[in-house]
Each structure stands twice: as C-alpha cells, then as structure tokens.
Amino acid sequence: MNRVLVPTLRQEFHYFSGNTISARLSKLQDILNKSKPANDNECDNTNDNNNNNNSTTQTNSSTLIFCKDEAEVDIVHSFLTKNPSMNQTFVPRKLHALLSHPERTDA
C-alpha cells in the first residue's frame, strides 16, 4: 500500500543558521514547544469559540523537518526520541534514502 502526503494549507518555514548542531537543535526545540497543543486546562480565552477546535486541529497535525543529509536526520530523530519534553508530544519518524524499504514504509 502506498501512502500519499496531503498537507494542509497552513505552512510555516523556519530556517536554521546556527553554526553547531546543538544550536540548531535548541532552536528546533523552541519552535516545537511553541507548536504543542494546549492542554484543556491551559487554553487561553482569546478565542473562546475556537479553543476546542484549535486544540483538536493541533493534536491531529503533523510537522515535517527537512535535514541536510542522512546523518543529520539520525541526529534530529535521536534528539526528538530521547528528549522527554519532546517524545511525550511528538512521535518522530525518520525517512531518508539509506533506510531499508521496510523502514521507509513504516515511516
């Protein structure tokens, strides 16, 4: 079975220019923390009519992270899976040309 990626129209692009991978991972963590869905207890009341809808939309959304090469994919994937503040919200899947066919299919 072949999967088809059908993205929403909502797109945000963040370009990382840090000199070190740790600087880029720190920036990535900041961006992802800002995109986490709000807890029902933590919702602000700025859009009273849309809080539940927005929370559901964010909960069911996906994020794509493009890396420069396979090694960076492995580093970012490891960072996301081993970081307690990230792995409770995000379920990272890595995808690159050097993965075996079953691994690519699973992603």
Side-chain angles (χ1 to χ4, degrees), residues 28-29 32-33 36 79-80 83-90:
L28 174 63
Q29 183 170 355
L32 291 176
N33 279 331
K36 286 183 180 179
F79 172 76
L80 293 173
N83 186 321
S85 69
M86 297 285 102
N87 68 17
Q88 293 177 7
T89 304
F90 302 99

Side-chain angles (χ1 to χ4, degrees), residues 17-33:
S17 59
N19 292 335
T20 65
I21 188 66
S22 61
R24 292 191 303 268
L25 291 175
S26 178
K27 184 172 180 179
L28 174 63
Q29 183 170 355
D30 290 344
I31 291 167
L32 291 176
N33 279 331

Side-chain angles (χ1 to χ4, degrees), residues 7-22:
T8 64
L9 294 177
R10 182 175 174 260
Q11 299 175 7
E12 292 182 31
F13 296 93
H14 300 272
Y15 295 94
F16 294 57
S17 59
N19 292 335
T20 65
I21 188 66
S22 61

